[in-house]
Amino acid sequence: MAADVFGRTLNYLRVSLTDRCNLRCIYCMPEQMNFKPREALLQTNELFLLTRLFAELGFSKFRLTGGEPTVRRDIVEIVRHAAQLPGVREVSMTTNGLRLKTLAEPLAEAGLKRVNISLDSPDPKQFREITRQGNISKVWQGIEAAERAGLTPIKLNAVIIRGCNDDMITDLAKLTLIHPWQVRFIELMPLGEMAPFAQHYLVSEHEMRKRIAAQYIPLEPLNDGNLDGEARLYRFPGALGTVGFISSVSQPFYASCNRIRLTADGVLRLCLLQDQEVDLLSPLRAGASQEELSQMIIEALRRKPWGHNLHHNVVPVSRMMSQIGG
Ligand code: SAM
Ligand code: SF4
């Protein structure tokens, strides 16, 4: 089992498959985004090799993300490979859902267990404004297709932006009254050139819950208020689903962090909100053996930082969220 110097077991790998996307969410990337050339990204065989090494090191949970993971042509093949790795218990995906109408079934058949789908607003006009070009009806179709294919429980991710979609917090939370979904509010995180935007428009978990209580009724805590993964969970009395908050900015979760990120350009990102990284692609392409690569990974994992330093105004500058995967 891989572990860091703090004794945290690391067994959850988030793999970004591309920095490209079929949307341009206003908090995630600039409108004129420069994407990396394809040859700078992990090719299918390189991805297969690195994910196998992680599985051999005891990583049992993989999440595929991006950019938008479903824009990769080999996405079904990648899922099939990851799901068949010895010791891997769960392969899941974070997606904007646009391509799930056609992909949900083949992805489930290839071994995908669950999907988290981003939905920042139920209002079509607002959704288009936030994503700059998205058609919300495709997301609803994607959610339906994911449910039909058994990619459940469905989790919906919503990033709340002050003055933009903060009037939809309660409507989003109320979706859980009649759907068995987990609607998760993610606090805006400052990353790269989008950092000033995030700092300016952040709405904290505390404020979101206060607004829900004022506009509808208070949410009741689940799990005695303890974290479930990265989210703190709540429920409306009698609701079919749950409401989660991922409050990485206002209430970071360090002690339970068991995750590590592999970016689409083959770099290990040791903490989402810190710039410490270890390049694996260059040594791989320079001919490092599998033993050497495994050793590099083990040593990198040991150096995983305890947590971020946003409270000391240290903001990660090297990448935007779309270049890490969330
Ligand atoms: N394209 C996919 C999607 O949108 O679900 C996967 C990649 S996206 C980078 C992963 C998650 O990060 C999404 O839920 C997105 O809303 C979230 N995200 C992007 N930028 C963010 C930011 N600055 N702060 C907080 N969450 C962010
Ligand atoms: Fe694309 Fe996801 Fe970023 Fe939106 S949040 S631009 S869908 S990568």
Side-chain angles (χ1 to χ4, degrees):
M1 267 304 174
D4 66 11
V5 290
F6 303 104
R8 292 177 296 190
T9 299
L10 306 174
N11 56 11
Y12 176 12
L13 182 69
R14 298 175 67 102
V15 189
S16 173
L17 300 180
T18 175
D19 59 344
R20 284 161 203 269
C21 190
N22 42 5
L23 294 179
R24 297 284 184 278
C25 302
I26 54 174
Y27 52 82
C28 181
M29 59 169 86
E31 191 159 15
Q32 302 304 325
M33 179 71 181
N34 288 320
F35 297 110
K36 295 225 172 209
R38 281 182 211 281
E39 58 278 15
L41 304 186
L42 286 170
Q43 306 299 300
T44 315
N45 58 335
E46 295 167 332
L47 193 64
F48 284 4
L49 170 67
L50 290 179
T51 46
R52 184 164 56 71
L53 295 182
F54 275 96
E56 286 169 6
L57 290 172
F59 280 72
S60 57
K61 193 175 161 192
F62 285 21
R63 173 169 294 277
L64 307 175
T65 176
E68 174 50 37
T70 60
V71 302
R72 247 186 105 134
R73 260 176 267 145
D74 52 358
I75 184 64
V76 175
E77 219 183 322
I78 291 172
V79 167
R80 195 181 309 284
H81 176 267
Q84 286 172 358
L85 287 169
V88 170
R89 285 186 293 109
E90 182 182 295
V91 180
S92 57
M93 183 183 284
T94 302
T95 169
N96 60 30
L98 290 182
R99 302 203 59 218
L100 280 182
K101 184 179 172 194
T102 48
L103 276 175
E105 195 63 50
L107 287 172
E109 185 274 326
L112 191 73
K113 284 277 189 302
R114 296 195 306 98
V115 280
N116 290 6
I117 301 172
S118 294
L119 182 73
D120 297 325
S121 173
D123 174 70
K125 191 163 158 279
Q126 208 174 60
F127 180 82
R128 179 170 287 275
E129 273 163 25
I130 295 170
T131 57
R132 292 199 181 100
Q133 59 198 60
N135 175 351
I136 199 171
S137 61
K138 288 201 174 150
V139 183
W140 292 124
Q141 288 168 5
I143 293 171
E144 269 173 36
E147 282 194 309
R148 262 198 316 277
L151 296 172
T152 53
I154 302 274
K155 295 185 183 176
L156 299 184
N157 287 345
V159 174
I160 299 301
I161 310 155
R162 187 176 301 285
C164 176
N165 60 346
D166 54 348
D167 56 336
M168 284 293 153
I169 299 170
T170 304
D171 286 4
L172 281 163
K174 283 168 80 175
L175 288 173
T176 64
L177 291 173
I178 52 163
H179 298 284
W181 301 335
Q182 184 177 115
V183 172
R184 299 157 13 127
F185 294 101
I186 306 178
E187 284 182 350
L188 253 185
M189 294 176 230
L191 281 143
E193 69 179 83
M194 304 308 291
F197 180 95
Q199 287 165 318
H200 193 73
Y201 295 107
L202 171 72
V203 183
S204 69
E205 168 183 341
H206 179 72
E207 182 176 340
M208 290 191 237
R209 285 198 285 114
K210 253 177 54 184
R211 287 203 188 193
I212 292 169
Q215 290 170 358
Y216 183 49
I217 49 174
L219 283 161
E220 297 181 347
L222 297 175
N223 298 330
D224 292 327
N226 293 319
L227 284 169
D228 177 72
E230 69 272 58
R232 208 167 268 104
L233 297 186
Y234 297 81
R235 194 193 281 280
F236 288 127
L240 293 185
T242 56
V243 176
F245 291 89
I246 302 178
S247 311
S248 312
V249 180
S250 70
Q251 298 177 60
F253 56 100
Y254 300 148
S256 60
C257 187
N258 62 347
R259 61 199 60 197
I260 211 84
R261 294 169 171 85
L262 178 63
T263 64
D265 54 346
V267 164
L268 265 194
R269 176 108 177 163
L270 303 177
C271 169
L272 173 60
L273 292 166
Q274 285 224 37
D275 284 332
Q276 273 123 302
E277 299 186 337
V278 175
D279 177 17
L280 294 177
L281 184 59
S282 304
L284 193 164
R285 288 189 180 170
S289 69
Q290 296 186 21
E291 290 69 32
E292 286 167 333
L293 287 167
S294 287
Q295 203 50 46
M296 279 176 217
I297 296 172
I298 291 170
E299 279 163 26
L301 296 180
R302 286 184 59 72
R303 297 204 309 274
K304 179 176 165 65
W306 176 245
H308 63 65
N309 283 319
L310 294 183
H311 44 285
H312 291 127
N313 277 330
V314 183
V315 167
V317 293
S318 65
R319 291 172 188 267
M320 287 171 273
M321 193 66 103
S322 61
Q323 298 165 319
I324 307 174

